[in-house]
Tab-separated table of all heavy atoms in Angstrom:
chain	number	residue	atom	x	y	z
A	193	LYS	N	-62.983	258.528	-113.227
A	193	LYS	CA	-63.382	258.453	-111.826
A	193	LYS	C	-64.354	257.277	-111.752
A	193	LYS	O	-65.368	257.269	-112.471
A	193	LYS	CB	-64.104	259.768	-111.465
A	193	LYS	CG	-63.757	260.318	-110.112
A	193	LYS	CD	-64.265	261.748	-109.997
A	193	LYS	CE	-64.070	262.289	-108.595
A	193	LYS	NZ	-64.457	263.689	-108.490
A	202	GLN	N	-75.380	251.774	-99.324
A	202	GLN	CA	-74.114	252.485	-99.505
A	202	GLN	C	-73.287	252.504	-98.222
A	202	GLN	O	-72.063	252.410	-98.269
A	202	GLN	CB	-74.328	253.889	-100.066
A	202	GLN	CG	-75.180	254.807	-99.237
A	202	GLN	CD	-75.310	256.194	-99.899
A	202	GLN	OE1	-75.292	256.325	-101.114
A	202	GLN	NE2	-75.458	257.221	-99.112
A	203	ASP	N	-73.937	252.568	-97.065
A	203	ASP	CA	-73.175	252.558	-95.800
A	203	ASP	C	-72.404	251.250	-95.629
A	203	ASP	O	-71.315	251.233	-95.052
A	203	ASP	CB	-74.124	252.727	-94.603
A	203	ASP	CG	-74.484	254.190	-94.356
A	203	ASP	OD1	-73.925	255.072	-95.047
A	203	ASP	OD2	-75.325	254.455	-93.474
A	206	ARG	N	-69.457	251.165	-98.353
A	206	ARG	CA	-68.419	252.164	-98.069
A	206	ARG	C	-67.382	251.684	-97.057
A	206	ARG	O	-66.265	252.206	-97.015
A	206	ARG	CB	-69.072	253.446	-97.533
A	206	ARG	CG	-69.666	254.310	-98.634
A	206	ARG	CD	-70.472	255.457	-98.074
A	206	ARG	NE	-70.855	256.388	-99.136
A	206	ARG	CZ	-71.668	257.408	-98.947
A	206	ARG	NH1	-72.206	257.635	-97.758
A	206	ARG	NH2	-71.962	258.216	-99.959
A	218	GLU	N	-66.919	258.417	-100.822
A	218	GLU	CA	-67.717	259.424	-101.522
A	218	GLU	C	-67.996	259.023	-102.967
A	218	GLU	O	-68.765	259.699	-103.647
A	218	GLU	CB	-67.061	260.805	-101.440
A	218	GLU	CG	-65.664	260.913	-102.043
A	218	GLU	CD	-64.539	260.618	-101.064
A	218	GLU	OE1	-64.777	259.895	-100.075
A	218	GLU	OE2	-63.414	261.102	-101.288
A	229	TYR	N	-79.679	263.369	-87.257
A	229	TYR	CA	-78.650	264.067	-86.495
A	229	TYR	C	-79.140	264.325	-85.078
A	229	TYR	O	-80.292	264.736	-84.887
A	229	TYR	CB	-78.337	265.401	-87.174
A	229	TYR	CG	-77.245	266.195	-86.510
A	229	TYR	CD1	-75.908	265.879	-86.732
A	229	TYR	CD2	-77.547	267.252	-85.660
A	229	TYR	CE1	-74.894	266.609	-86.138
A	229	TYR	CE2	-76.533	267.988	-85.056
A	229	TYR	CZ	-75.207	267.660	-85.303
A	229	TYR	OH	-74.210	268.381	-84.703
A	231	TYR	N	-77.582	264.163	-80.555
A	231	TYR	CA	-76.455	264.250	-79.638
A	231	TYR	C	-76.451	263.040	-78.710
A	231	TYR	O	-77.502	262.624	-78.201
A	231	TYR	CB	-76.534	265.541	-78.825
A	231	TYR	CG	-76.634	266.772	-79.704
A	231	TYR	CD1	-77.879	267.254	-80.110
A	231	TYR	CD2	-75.489	267.409	-80.185
A	231	TYR	CE1	-77.990	268.361	-80.951
A	231	TYR	CE2	-75.587	268.512	-81.029
A	231	TYR	CZ	-76.833	268.987	-81.411
A	231	TYR	OH	-76.937	270.064	-82.251
A	256	GLU	N	-81.429	257.978	-111.363
A	256	GLU	CA	-81.865	259.052	-110.467
A	256	GLU	C	-80.834	259.263	-109.352
A	256	GLU	O	-80.487	260.407	-109.020
A	256	GLU	CB	-83.248	258.719	-109.879
A	256	GLU	CG	-84.372	258.780	-110.918
A	256	GLU	CD	-85.662	258.079	-110.490
A	256	GLU	OE1	-85.749	257.614	-109.329
A	256	GLU	OE2	-86.584	257.979	-111.324
A	259	HIS	N	-77.755	260.985	-110.774
A	259	HIS	CA	-77.928	262.429	-110.919
A	259	HIS	C	-77.831	263.128	-109.561
A	259	HIS	O	-77.182	264.169	-109.430
A	259	HIS	CB	-79.262	262.771	-111.577
A	259	HIS	CG	-79.466	264.251	-111.698
A	259	HIS	ND1	-78.780	265.004	-112.628
A	259	HIS	CD2	-80.191	265.121	-110.967
A	259	HIS	CE1	-79.093	266.270	-112.469
A	259	HIS	NE2	-79.948	266.374	-111.473
A	260	LEU	N	-78.466	262.552	-108.561
A	260	LEU	CA	-78.443	263.166	-107.226
A	260	LEU	C	-77.033	263.233	-106.659
A	260	LEU	O	-76.603	264.262	-106.142
A	260	LEU	CB	-79.336	262.360	-106.269
A	260	LEU	CG	-79.426	262.905	-104.838
A	260	LEU	CD1	-80.339	264.128	-104.794
A	260	LEU	CD2	-79.915	261.841	-103.869
A	264	ARG	N	-73.631	264.023	-113.109
A	264	ARG	CA	-73.177	263.913	-114.492
A	264	ARG	C	-73.620	262.548	-115.031
A	264	ARG	O	-73.707	261.582	-114.291
A	264	ARG	CB	-71.656	263.909	-114.584
A	264	ARG	CG	-70.953	265.015	-113.854
A	264	ARG	CD	-69.529	265.011	-114.376
A	264	ARG	NE	-68.591	265.660	-113.485
A	264	ARG	CZ	-67.836	266.686	-113.867
A	264	ARG	NH1	-67.961	267.193	-115.063
A	264	ARG	NH2	-66.941	267.203	-113.040
A	281	GLU	N	-78.812	252.148	-119.974
A	281	GLU	CA	-79.456	252.968	-121.006
A	281	GLU	C	-79.030	254.432	-120.888
A	281	GLU	O	-78.744	255.099	-121.877
A	281	GLU	CB	-80.979	252.923	-120.844
A	281	GLU	CG	-81.627	251.627	-121.253
A	281	GLU	CD	-83.127	251.612	-120.966
A	281	GLU	OE1	-83.637	252.553	-120.322
A	281	GLU	OE2	-83.769	250.645	-121.364
B	194	LYS	N	-60.133	267.865	-100.299
B	194	LYS	CA	-61.203	267.810	-101.275
B	194	LYS	C	-62.240	268.808	-100.775
B	194	LYS	O	-62.711	268.694	-99.635
B	194	LYS	CB	-61.790	266.390	-101.276
B	194	LYS	CG	-62.107	265.840	-102.629
B	194	LYS	CD	-62.383	264.335	-102.524
B	194	LYS	CE	-62.857	263.787	-103.827
B	194	LYS	NZ	-62.989	262.321	-103.810
B	203	GLN	N	-78.881	271.872	-105.320
B	203	GLN	CA	-77.606	271.397	-105.853
B	203	GLN	C	-77.595	271.449	-107.381
B	203	GLN	O	-76.558	271.740	-107.977
B	203	GLN	CB	-77.265	270.009	-105.321
B	203	GLN	CG	-78.259	268.922	-105.619
B	203	GLN	CD	-77.788	267.564	-105.053
B	203	GLN	OE1	-77.101	267.495	-104.043
B	203	GLN	NE2	-78.160	266.497	-105.690
B	204	ASP	N	-78.718	271.220	-108.015
B	204	ASP	CA	-78.754	271.290	-109.491
B	204	ASP	C	-78.416	272.701	-109.979
B	204	ASP	O	-77.805	272.867	-111.036
B	204	ASP	CB	-80.146	270.913	-110.013
B	204	ASP	CG	-80.326	269.400	-110.107
B	204	ASP	OD1	-79.350	268.668	-109.867
B	204	ASP	OD2	-81.453	268.960	-110.412
B	207	ARG	N	-74.537	273.395	-109.221
B	207	ARG	CA	-73.657	272.567	-110.054
B	207	ARG	C	-73.403	273.156	-111.436
B	207	ARG	O	-72.418	272.814	-112.083
B	207	ARG	CB	-74.266	271.171	-110.215
B	207	ARG	CG	-74.029	270.288	-109.007
B	207	ARG	CD	-74.815	268.995	-109.120
B	207	ARG	NE	-74.447	268.066	-108.048
B	207	ARG	CZ	-75.063	266.916	-107.827
B	207	ARG	NH1	-76.075	266.557	-108.593
B	207	ARG	NH2	-74.664	266.132	-106.849
B	218	PRO	N	-69.247	269.145	-110.204
B	218	PRO	CA	-70.640	268.874	-109.818
B	218	PRO	C	-70.773	267.826	-108.712
B	218	PRO	O	-71.605	267.982	-107.815
B	218	PRO	CB	-71.281	268.355	-111.107
B	218	PRO	CG	-70.419	268.845	-112.213
B	218	PRO	CD	-69.053	269.046	-111.658
B	219	GLU	N	-69.949	266.770	-108.788
B	219	GLU	CA	-70.088	265.682	-107.813
B	219	GLU	C	-69.628	266.090	-106.417
B	219	GLU	O	-69.808	265.329	-105.470
B	219	GLU	CB	-69.350	264.425	-108.293
B	219	GLU	CG	-67.848	264.586	-108.504
B	219	GLU	CD	-67.477	264.997	-109.929
B	219	GLU	OE1	-68.311	265.626	-110.610
B	219	GLU	OE2	-66.346	264.701	-110.358
B	230	TYR	N	-86.912	259.192	-113.833
B	230	TYR	CA	-86.335	258.635	-115.056
B	230	TYR	C	-87.450	258.237	-116.013
B	230	TYR	O	-88.449	257.659	-115.604
B	230	TYR	CB	-85.498	257.409	-114.709
B	230	TYR	CG	-84.804	256.777	-115.884
B	230	TYR	CD1	-83.626	257.306	-116.378
B	230	TYR	CD2	-85.326	255.637	-116.497
B	230	TYR	CE1	-82.973	256.731	-117.458
B	230	TYR	CE2	-84.674	255.051	-117.582
B	230	TYR	CZ	-83.504	255.607	-118.051
B	230	TYR	OH	-82.867	255.027	-119.114
B	232	TYR	N	-88.547	258.427	-120.665
B	232	TYR	CA	-88.079	258.485	-122.047
B	232	TYR	C	-88.765	259.625	-122.783
B	232	TYR	O	-89.971	259.839	-122.636
B	232	TYR	CB	-88.363	257.156	-122.754
B	232	TYR	CG	-87.775	255.980	-122.005
B	232	TYR	CD1	-88.514	255.320	-121.027
B	232	TYR	CD2	-86.467	255.573	-122.236
B	232	TYR	CE1	-87.967	254.256	-120.313
B	232	TYR	CE2	-85.906	254.517	-121.530
B	232	TYR	CZ	-86.667	253.861	-120.562
B	232	TYR	OH	-86.120	252.828	-119.847
B	257	GLU	N	-76.596	265.348	-92.184
B	257	GLU	CA	-77.258	264.172	-92.759
B	257	GLU	C	-76.948	264.069	-94.259
B	257	GLU	O	-76.658	262.989	-94.767
B	257	GLU	CB	-78.769	264.246	-92.519
B	257	GLU	CG	-79.151	264.058	-91.048
B	257	GLU	CD	-80.577	264.507	-90.696
B	257	GLU	OE1	-81.337	264.879	-91.623
B	257	GLU	OE2	-80.914	264.500	-89.496
B	260	HIS	N	-73.346	262.949	-94.754
B	260	HIS	CA	-73.185	261.496	-94.608
B	260	HIS	C	-73.697	260.761	-95.846
B	260	HIS	O	-73.051	259.838	-96.346
B	260	HIS	CB	-73.910	260.988	-93.361
B	260	HIS	CG	-73.761	259.502	-93.218
B	260	HIS	ND1	-72.586	258.911	-92.833
B	260	HIS	CD2	-74.619	258.486	-93.496
B	260	HIS	CE1	-72.732	257.590	-92.863
B	260	HIS	NE2	-73.952	257.309	-93.260
B	261	LEU	N	-74.849	261.186	-96.332
B	261	LEU	CA	-75.440	260.520	-97.507
B	261	LEU	C	-74.536	260.655	-98.730
B	261	LEU	O	-74.283	259.694	-99.451
B	261	LEU	CB	-76.811	261.129	-97.816
B	261	LEU	CG	-77.552	260.514	-99.007
B	261	LEU	CD1	-78.136	259.161	-98.635
B	261	LEU	CD2	-78.652	261.435	-99.524
B	265	ARG	N	-68.189	260.717	-95.070
B	265	ARG	CA	-67.106	260.978	-94.125
B	265	ARG	C	-67.415	262.266	-93.374
B	265	ARG	O	-68.030	263.171	-93.927
B	265	ARG	CB	-65.773	261.217	-94.816
B	265	ARG	CG	-65.407	260.241	-95.882
B	265	ARG	CD	-63.943	260.448	-96.163
B	265	ARG	NE	-63.523	259.937	-97.443
B	265	ARG	CZ	-62.516	259.063	-97.583
B	265	ARG	NH1	-61.890	258.613	-96.533
B	265	ARG	NH2	-62.143	258.673	-98.773
B	282	GLU	N	-70.846	271.922	-85.964
B	282	GLU	CA	-70.707	271.056	-84.780
B	282	GLU	C	-70.180	269.685	-85.166
B	282	GLU	O	-69.310	269.113	-84.505
B	282	GLU	CB	-72.076	270.848	-84.109
B	282	GLU	CG	-72.622	272.043	-83.376
B	282	GLU	CD	-74.028	271.783	-82.829
B	282	GLU	OE1	-74.621	270.730	-83.126
B	282	GLU	OE2	-74.530	272.656	-82.097
Side-chain angles (χ1 to χ4, degrees):
Chain A
K193 221 167 174 176
Q202 59 179 31
D203 278 355
R206 281 172 171 173
E218 60 270 25
Y229 182 80
Y231 305 89
E256 290 163 5
H259 179 74
L260 181 76
R264 309 194 201 237
E281 287 176 353
Chain B
K194 221 167 173 174
Q203 59 179 31
D204 277 355
R207 281 172 172 173
E219 60 269 26
Y230 182 80
Y232 305 90
E257 290 164 6
H260 179 73
L261 181 75
R265 313 194 200 235
E282 288 176 353

